[in-house]
Amino acid sequence: MAKKSYKNKYTYSTGDLTGQISLILLSLIIFFSPFFRGLFFAENQRLALIFSAILFWLVCLYKYQRKDLKFFANPLDYLVLALPIVYLLSTFIAINYALAVDEVLENILYFFVFWSTIRIAISKDRIEKLFIVIFLSAIGVALAGLFTASGIVVIKDGFIPNDGGTIASTFQYKNTLAIFLVSAIYIGSYLWQKVTNNLWKITIAAANLLLITVLFASNSHGGYIIYAIYLVVYWFLNTPENRFGLIVSTLSLSILGFLGSELFLSIIAEQSYGVAWLILLALLAAGAAGQWIALKFKHKVKVINVSFRHLLVTTITAGIVGAIVLAYMGIFQVLMEKIHMHGAIERLTMYKDVLNMIIEKPLIGWGGGAWQETYNLFQSYGYTARQVHSYFLQVAVETGLIGLIIALSSWVIYLIIAFQLYKKSVRDQQDRRLIATLICTVLAIISHAVFDFDLSLSALTIVMFILMGCLVAIHINGEADNKEPLKRLNLKPNHKIAISTIIILVVITVSSALMYAENMLTSAMGEARKGNLQEAMEMTQEAITFNPLNSVNYRWASQLHYALGDKETAINYSEKAIELASYNQDYYADLSVQYLSNNQFKKAVEVANKAVELAPLKHKYYEQLSIILTNVALNKIKSQNNEEASKYIEQSLAIPQQIKVTVDSVPPNLQKEWEYWQPLKVTDRTKLNLGIANYLNGNTNKATSYIESIAQNQQLQKDVLLWQAVIAQYQGDEQRVTEALKKAEQAKLNIRNDFKGLSNLKPIDK
């Protein structure tokens, strides 16, 4: 029986208007997503979600017009939908409701594009059109990175000049940029093999060279490794008659791209931007010329078939020779040192901390955004990492083992489908290239995401799900004649279109409300900076109305009320913020100040201690605690309640020991790694408060020692001079009092009124 090609398995007409509009809308989502900061931030993801919801509705309409009532066409439909459902369930026990809702919406976005792609990518022609869009988007991102590096445009964190220069472009994160470019390079290689026109071949080769150059300019070591691994896999998966040309092309472009990136970055470092662009253009011209020469003599050279066995032997031999050369050059030693470097140890330590979180809530997790809210409580030393550097661990910590099983099952099924399709395509050169490209692009993305947070940037995740959808579409259309139809709900077409309409209206309404709330909050902050506090308050209330789950809105409302002198209302809003984000240590620190100013001293100390409990390795919360304890003690002494004051003074004086115990609990090897961040220590501001506490406790020698130790800190000069004068006054040293007051006057620091208020304050009698 003759093999039926995928292109003859159409289930819908490709000329249908609704289908064409859907394809265009999907293409627009693909192309523009990277240019909105890679869709890392929730406000950008919501805009993409609105467009994907419209896309979903159009595809539903497209299906229902043809009486196709089957909503679920394959197991991956169920699994990809299951993930946002699990995220929704975890929202009910989430520790930050706003972040949890954001994750639900983000995963709905992925389902919409995945489900829609399967129904849109109904032919090889359509898949190739999506390939072209991804490729063009990558070229735009690469050019944006080069423009940023050369100062033509400004993208925040788009280019980092340190360590020889790093291009991150619109993604603002080098590793995600690298993996996006890697997937686009494989797609470019497919298009290069597919086209027959020599001019197009030369153009695509030059474009691929541009992408490879920017890939190497990203300085992403993980990106390089993934590129190399799956490039070899791509060679193996291609047909024997195509392998030689593909290997020669990709290797030559990779060598040129590497040399070009080194030259470009070195010249950019000297700020010779014009020369850098001339070098780049010359590089592209050289690549195009080389391609032209290869094409010119192609027909004069016999086609070289590279069998699987020959390629395997050559690869192993090259690997052994390369390893010997690297060992001789001492490169292996450098690589081993890198394994033990700060970044690797930090990553492994983070994974251990994540596992501890998972063990604590294994079933359904902590809810979306849990890691960035709670990692300060679980971290083994004081690193800063607001994202879990592993997609699967992030899913596990946010949705528990249920979510992890769903995610892993999705990939198992995807690999099974990929294997089945590749096996069937072995005798068809074109189908084999297409399947090989889809396999390598998707696996390159997910492989790197195992060890990084690439998929937190939704632009890359959208590309991944679209490519997955293309492969599933091939599978469904290829099996359409032989498979039994899946059971479906017994609903009429008009009922289903009504349900899908309701779904997208809800999604669009929720997304629009959240976007409006975000805009109101941003506007409120702008008005506050202008001094228009009342207008800012009205806008903040509007933000709360449209997004009542966002703790940030309540925190901002609290700060505005506090600035307006309404302390009670400010406290109420702060308490509400903590209800919505109960692990946010900053909210407790804010509330401690408000309680203190409202003379609720016991509560002020309680919440200041809670902030330390939630972030025991961050020194700023010990500072805050020392400030609260010292001020409470001062107020107790002023009200002649020395017994209560003594308790708070003792707690303040215990802070250095509290810090020491915390630091000693960190293993020595991790204490060394901690030096790369901000090691926990008794800071100057804490020392100031320890000096005040010692003075209030009657120990003027220790008080003087602490305050003199921070005398050179210009930020604390006012407080240092004030307490030097107060202590000197108590000791009867009028000369030192005069000197301190005179220094304050010379520095234009007004401390006389504070000095008068404190000069009569006597330490506690022991």
Side-chain angles (χ1 to χ4, degrees):
M1 181 177 177
K3 178 182 177 290
K4 293 184 179 180
S5 174
Y6 167 60
K7 62 186 177 183
N8 295 322
K9 291 285 188 175
Y10 298 173
T11 54
Y12 306 118
S13 168
T14 57
D16 185 88
L17 179 61
T18 309
Q20 293 296 332
I21 293 173
S22 301
L23 178 63
I24 291 170
L25 183 54
L26 179 60
S27 299
L28 291 173
I29 292 171
I30 295 170
F31 184 85
F32 286 106
S33 291
F35 297 97
F36 288 83
R37 298 185 290 181
L39 298 186
F40 176 74
F41 298 97
E43 56 267 30
N44 300 129
Q45 293 170 4
R46 291 163 192 157
L47 183 62
L49 177 59
I50 289 174
F51 283 104
S52 70
I54 296 171
L55 171 68
F56 173 74
W57 185 83
L58 284 172
V59 175
C60 287
L61 180 62
Y62 183 49
K63 283 165 52 64
Y64 302 153
Q65 286 173 341
R66 286 150 184 78
K67 310 299 182 184
D68 181 0
L69 305 184
K70 188 164 57 178
F71 187 82
F72 296 105
N74 67 96
L76 278 174
D77 277 340
Y78 291 97
L79 290 170
V80 176
L81 178 59
L83 207 51
I85 292 174
V86 174
Y87 266 103
L88 181 61
L89 293 175
S90 70
T91 299
F92 293 100
I93 59 168
I95 58 175
N96 186 309
Y97 293 107
L99 294 178
V101 169
D102 287 341
E103 288 296 328
V104 173
L105 296 177
E106 183 182 337
N107 281 273
I108 290 174
L109 163 64
Y110 302 148
F111 171 73
F112 280 167
V113 295
F114 174 75
W115 187 90
S116 300
T117 300
I118 294 174
R119 279 79 189 170
I120 291 172
I122 57 175
S123 68
K124 189 180 297 183
D125 176 64
R126 284 194 175 182
I127 292 175
E128 288 170 355
K129 286 178 179 177
L130 294 176
F131 275 6
I132 292 169
V133 174
I134 294 171
F135 192 59
L136 291 175
S137 180
I139 292 170
V141 170
L143 288 172
L146 294 170
F147 289 151
T148 305
S150 52
I152 298 174
V153 298
V154 176
I155 299 174
K156 184 181 178 183
D157 297 327
F159 178 71
I160 302 168
N162 301 340
D163 298 325
T166 295
I167 292 178
S169 192
T170 57
F171 282 94
Q172 301 175 309
Y173 182 56
K174 65 177 185 178
N175 291 340
T176 305
L177 169 68
I179 297 304
F180 178 66
L181 293 178
V182 166
S183 61
I185 291 164
Y186 298 153
I187 288 172
S189 298
Y190 171 84
L191 296 174
W192 175 80
Q193 293 180 87
K194 175 73 167 61
V195 298
T196 55
N197 181 283
N198 285 349
L199 180 59
W200 278 115
K201 272 192 179 290
I202 293 169
T203 303
I204 292 170
N208 241 10
L209 176 57
L210 176 71
L211 299 184
I212 293 170
T213 302
V214 177
L215 166 64
F216 284 115
S218 71
N219 276 321
S220 169
H221 298 137
Y224 303 161
I225 293 170
I226 292 295
Y227 173 62
I229 289 173
Y230 286 99
L231 183 59
V232 174
V233 173
Y234 195 50
W235 295 342
F236 275 101
L237 293 182
N238 263 269
T239 57
E241 57 269 29
N242 287 327
R243 282 180 184 144
F244 183 77
L246 181 63
I247 292 170
V248 171
S249 174
T250 51
L251 279 181
S252 58
L253 291 178
S254 297
I255 294 169
L256 277 175
F258 174 74
L259 295 175
S261 69
E262 292 295 307
L263 281 171
F264 183 82
L265 290 177
S266 63
I267 297 171
I268 285 292
E270 299 172 0
Q271 298 186 341
S272 300
Y273 301 135
V275 176
W277 275 98
L278 286 174
I279 292 292
L280 182 62
L281 292 173
L283 174 77
L284 296 177
Q291 182 66 50
W292 178 78
I293 293 170
L295 291 171
K296 190 172 181 63
F297 291 96
K298 177 182 177 182
H299 299 294
K300 297 180 181 180
V301 179
K302 185 180 178 181
V303 175
I304 301 175
N305 285 341
V306 180
S307 68
F308 187 93
R309 181 182 298 176
H310 289 153
L311 181 57
L312 182 62
V313 171
T314 303
T315 303
I316 293 173
T317 304
I320 293 171
V321 172
I324 294 171
V325 172
L326 290 175
Y328 179 77
M329 295 174 63
I331 302 298
F332 275 143
Q333 184 177 352
V334 174
L335 291 174
M336 290 304 296
E337 288 174 358
K338 279 186 173 292
I339 291 173
H340 294 288
M341 281 177 62
H342 163 68
I345 294 176
E346 179 185 305
R347 192 72 55 90
L348 293 173
T349 304
M350 184 196 310
Y351 293 160
K352 180 179 74 70
D353 297 338
V354 172
L355 289 173
N356 288 333
M357 282 186 68
I358 295 169
I359 290 169
E360 191 159 317
K361 290 188 178 182
L363 188 60
I364 203 167
W366 293 72
W371 172 256
Q372 69 184 77
E373 281 290 289
T374 62
Y375 81 92
N376 284 316
L377 178 60
F378 286 88
Q379 62 185 163
S380 299
Y381 72 95
Y383 55 81
T384 299
R386 292 176 60 79
Q387 297 291 324
V388 179
H389 286 247
S390 170
Y391 169 72
F392 291 106
L393 285 179
Q394 179 152 341
V395 170
V397 80
E398 292 177 342
T399 61
L401 294 179
I402 294 176
L404 179 62
I405 290 170
I406 290 170
L408 291 173
S409 299
S410 300
W411 285 102
V412 169
I413 292 175
Y414 176 80
L415 290 173
I416 291 172
I417 292 173
F419 176 77
Q420 290 174 346
L421 286 175
Y422 182 77
K423 189 176 178 181
K424 290 178 181 178
S425 69
V426 167
R427 291 185 179 86
D428 188 300
Q429 188 180 93
Q430 291 187 1
D431 283 358
R432 185 169 177 178
R433 282 202 303 256
L434 179 62
I435 302 301
T437 304
L438 289 170
I439 290 173
C440 289
T441 51
V442 173
L443 290 184
I445 294 172
I446 195 61
S447 296
H448 193 270
V450 171
F451 304 104
D452 211 340
F453 65 92
D454 303 330
L455 299 187
S456 293
L457 286 89
S458 295
L460 180 63
T461 316
I462 286 172
V463 168
M464 182 186 76
F465 274 109
I466 285 171
L467 294 172
M468 289 174 66
C470 289
L471 191 78
V472 175
I474 296 173
H475 176 67
I476 292 172
N477 286 280
E479 297 291 331
D481 290 346
N482 303 318
K483 285 185 72 174
E484 292 293 328
L486 294 176
K487 292 182 179 179
R488 56 180 183 261
L489 294 175
N490 187 22
L491 293 176
K492 295 180 180 179
N494 58 332
H495 291 165
K496 284 203 167 186
I497 195 67
I499 292 172
S500 61
T501 302
I502 292 170
I503 290 172
I504 71 112
L505 286 176
V506 169
V507 170
I508 290 175
T509 301
V510 171
S511 299
S512 299
L514 296 179
M515 289 173 65
Y516 180 75
E518 185 74 27
N519 290 335
M520 281 293 101
L521 185 63
T522 302
S523 299
M525 292 177 177
E527 290 298 321
R529 283 192 290 270
K530 297 175 185 176
N532 302 326
L533 298 185
Q534 199 59 49
E535 290 84 348
M537 190 66 254
E538 292 173 3
M539 291 177 176
T540 304
Q541 288 295 341
E542 192 87 351
I544 290 173
T545 301
F546 280 86
N547 189 358
L549 295 180
N550 191 353
S551 60
V552 176
N553 294 337
Y554 294 94
R555 186 190 190 192
W556 184 245
S558 172
Q559 292 172 349
L560 288 173
H561 278 290
Y562 189 76
L564 291 168
D566 188 354
K567 296 179 181 178
E568 287 290 345
T569 306
I571 288 172
N572 291 337
Y573 275 113
S574 284
E575 290 174 342
K576 180 63 177 177
I578 287 174
E579 285 180 24
L580 296 171
S582 57
Y583 279 76
N584 192 307
Q585 56 272 7
D586 289 324
Y587 293 178
Y588 288 97
D590 289 348
L591 186 56
S592 68
V593 174
Q594 293 170 353
Y595 278 145
L596 177 66
S597 67
N598 206 38
N599 297 326
Q600 294 176 258
F601 301 130
K602 186 176 180 181
K603 287 185 176 181
V605 173
E606 285 177 357
V607 294
N609 273 306
K610 183 66 176 179
V612 172
E613 178 188 326
L614 291 172
L617 301 178
K618 304 295 184 184
H619 62 71
K620 72 175 185 176
Y621 302 108
Y622 292 94
E623 281 185 0
Q624 182 72 12
L625 177 61
S626 70
I627 292 169
I628 297 297
L629 289 169
T630 302
N631 279 280
V632 171
L634 279 168
N635 279 281
K636 291 295 181 181
I637 291 173
K638 287 177 182 178
S639 62
Q640 298 183 350
N641 191 344
N642 289 353
E643 185 177 349
E644 285 287 320
S646 294
K647 294 179 182 178
Y648 293 114
I649 290 170
E650 288 175 8
Q651 289 183 52
S652 183
L653 296 177
I655 288 176
Q657 181 60 26
Q658 187 179 358
I659 290 175
K660 183 179 183 304
V661 170
T662 303
V663 172
D664 289 345
S665 67
V666 177
N669 64 314
L670 295 183
Q671 288 187 27
K672 185 178 179 181
E673 296 302 315
W674 203 349
E675 294 173 3
Y676 289 92
W677 297 101
Q678 290 186 335
L680 182 60
K681 62 180 180 180
V682 179
T683 63
D684 285 356
R685 189 166 293 279
T686 304
K687 288 177 182 178
L688 171 66
N689 289 293
L690 289 170
I692 297 170
N694 273 289
Y695 169 72
L696 297 178
N697 207 37
N699 193 338
T700 55
N701 289 334
K702 270 195 173 182
T704 301
S705 175
Y706 270 119
I707 290 174
E708 290 298 329
S709 70
I710 60 172
Q712 302 305 314
N713 189 324
Q714 295 301 312
Q715 293 180 339
L716 300 176
Q717 277 299 290
K718 183 176 180 179
D719 292 312
V720 167
L721 292 171
L722 172 62
W723 285 100
Q724 283 178 339
V726 170
I727 294 171
Q729 175 77 9
Y730 175 71
Q731 294 174 332
D733 191 338
E734 292 298 330
Q735 182 178 352
R736 285 177 57 208
V737 173
T738 303
E739 288 176 358
L741 295 175
K742 187 176 180 180
K743 283 182 181 179
E745 287 179 0
Q746 290 173 347
K748 296 182 180 180
L749 300 172
N750 185 12
I751 66 171
R752 284 194 176 274
N753 291 334
D754 291 334
F755 173 70
K756 288 178 182 178
L758 293 171
S759 59
N760 295 324
L761 187 69
K762 305 300 179 187
I764 297 172
D765 293 328
K766 294 293 184 181

